[in-house]
Amino acid sequence: MKVYGTEKPFSYQKNYGMVDIPIHYFISLDDHLIRADDVLEHYNILKSHSPELARVKVFKGLSHVDFNYGYTEAMAKEL
């Protein structure tokens, strides 16, 4: 309550209409920390507001740690 001034935290989803820069969502089907459907939810909400700003790329065989510390040619190509 002290941080947000309300019992519920700030909802990013309600404010995606304010986004004016491209957002690239990277998903791995093998990420057990952040589920692919959670990422797709955010992607779809932004895409509904600004389709030209939302991009998504699905990677196979990568874990959450791979996105943070790993390196693959496929990831480097996207970056």
Side-chain angles (χ1 to χ4, degrees):
M1 182 109 169
K2 290 179 184 179
V3 174
Y4 298 108
T6 180
E7 291 183 12
K8 293 185 177 183
F10 179 80
S11 172
Y12 291 99
Q13 292 92 331
K14 292 180 182 177
N15 293 283
Y16 274 141
M18 298 173 65
V19 173
D20 61 356
I21 60 171
I23 304 292
H24 299 261
Y25 296 92
F26 296 128
I27 300 172
S28 175
L29 302 178
D30 298 306
D31 186 336
H32 299 290
L33 186 61
I34 300 177
R35 296 179 1 199
D37 60 332
D38 288 340
V39 178
L40 284 173
E41 178 184 350
H42 287 271
Y43 165 74
N44 287 324
I45 293 169
L46 177 61
K47 187 176 177 182
S48 72
H49 289 283
S50 304
E52 73 282 0
L53 298 179
R55 303 281 185 269
V56 66
K57 176 70 176 179
V58 178
F59 293 91
K60 294 179 184 175
L62 300 179
S63 71
H64 191 79
V65 173
D66 292 319
F67 281 107
N68 290 297
Y69 300 110
Y71 174 86
T72 67
E73 291 294 325
M75 284 175 34
K77 181 180 175 183
E78 291 300 319
L79 297 174

